[in-house]
Amino acid sequence: DGRVGSQLVLDQLASIEVVDKSGFIHEFGMEEKLVCFCEFLHEVRDAYGDKTRGSTSEGEPLHGGLVSVVLRREALPASEREMYHVLHQRCIDEIPKAWPDWLRQAAGRAGRARQSQDLRLLQYSEGSRFEVHVDSGWACQALIYLNDAGKDFTGGSTCFPNLGAAYRPRRGRVLLWRSVCVGHRPLIPGSWKDHPAAHVAGEVHGGIKRV
């Protein structure tokens, strides 16, 4: 039957903070200058966002009018590409601290993490959420919170139902996890529902949340 919890379980997780104890999720703090750079990317998303993936002002047609914009490195002015590189490398540098043997196990002795050429900007307004999913397009993801729950918005926790974990957004807080999970065998072949990386962005009840 899979492991993703009922809506009641998700709602309960969304109302509290429970940090993952298994080591699957790695947490660290992003430097303020890089948080400010992410905020800058939000401000210029209409100018430089990938318009083939939906309106850069209104976002893709996701839950509750969620703004979801892909921004590619080559679309940025040359003056901003170095900071884009620094941002990605900062996240990559955390991988061996979080899971020392993961790259070797996943990709062999010569395995290494490579920088992505794009990132996704998300803006949640009142009533918007992101249903349970696994980001299968990337081996590893970093989620960077740009503002604070309880101050800038209400709701909006990130929940990992199969881990029983939930995180309240806090400016500069970063969650790092893997969609390529060495050793994971799904209960149902081909299903992601029991994957530890399955997560949901809880509904925002007021204000604006940005990641």
Side-chain angles (χ1 to χ4, degrees), residues 41-210:
L41 295 179
H42 264 285
E43 297 305 318
V44 300
R45 69 185 186 227
D46 194 37
Y48 302 118
D50 183 354
K51 293 180 172 59
T52 69
R53 299 289 295 272
S55 164
T56 52
S57 297
E58 301 300 327
E60 296 181 58
L62 300 175
H63 257 279
L66 165 64
V67 175
S68 175
V69 175
V70 172
L71 196 151
R72 305 190 188 285
R73 180 181 181 275
E74 65 268 20
L76 288 171
S79 59
E80 307 298 340
R81 292 177 189 171
E82 177 57 29
M83 190 63 80
Y84 190 96
H85 167 81
V86 171
L87 175 66
H88 279 77
Q89 191 60 46
R90 175 68 182 90
C91 297
I92 286 174
D93 289 344
E94 290 290 322
I95 292 176
K97 301 177 188 177
W99 316 292
D101 294 326
W102 173 61
L103 286 173
R104 180 184 59 80
Q105 293 172 349
R109 186 173 299 177
R112 64 187 180 91
R114 298 179 180 177
Q115 291 195 14
S116 173
Q117 294 303 303
D118 58 46
L119 55 75
R120 185 177 292 272
L121 304 169
L122 297 168
Q123 178 174 295
Y124 298 79
S125 56
E126 184 173 357
S128 60
R129 59 183 290 143
F130 209 133
E131 296 291 358
V132 179
H133 64 285
V134 172
D135 298 299
S136 58
W138 296 275
C140 185
Q141 298 85 44
L143 175 64
I144 306 169
Y145 296 115
L146 303 183
N147 54 359
D148 298 299
K151 177 183 176 182
D152 302 304
F153 58 92
T154 55
S157 291
T158 305
C159 304
F160 294 79
N162 293 332
L163 298 174
Y167 295 83
R168 284 172 56 84
R170 185 175 67 246
R171 179 181 172 85
R173 187 181 204 179
V174 185
L175 306 181
L176 190 72
W177 70 87
R178 300 152 293 169
S179 287
V180 174
C181 185
V182 175
H184 172 68
R185 296 292 183 270
L187 295 175
I188 302 173
S191 172
W192 54 265
K193 289 189 176 182
D194 64 324
H195 199 294
H199 61 286
V200 59
E203 183 174 338
V204 170
H205 304 301
I208 297 291
K209 168 191 171 185
R210 282 182 168 181

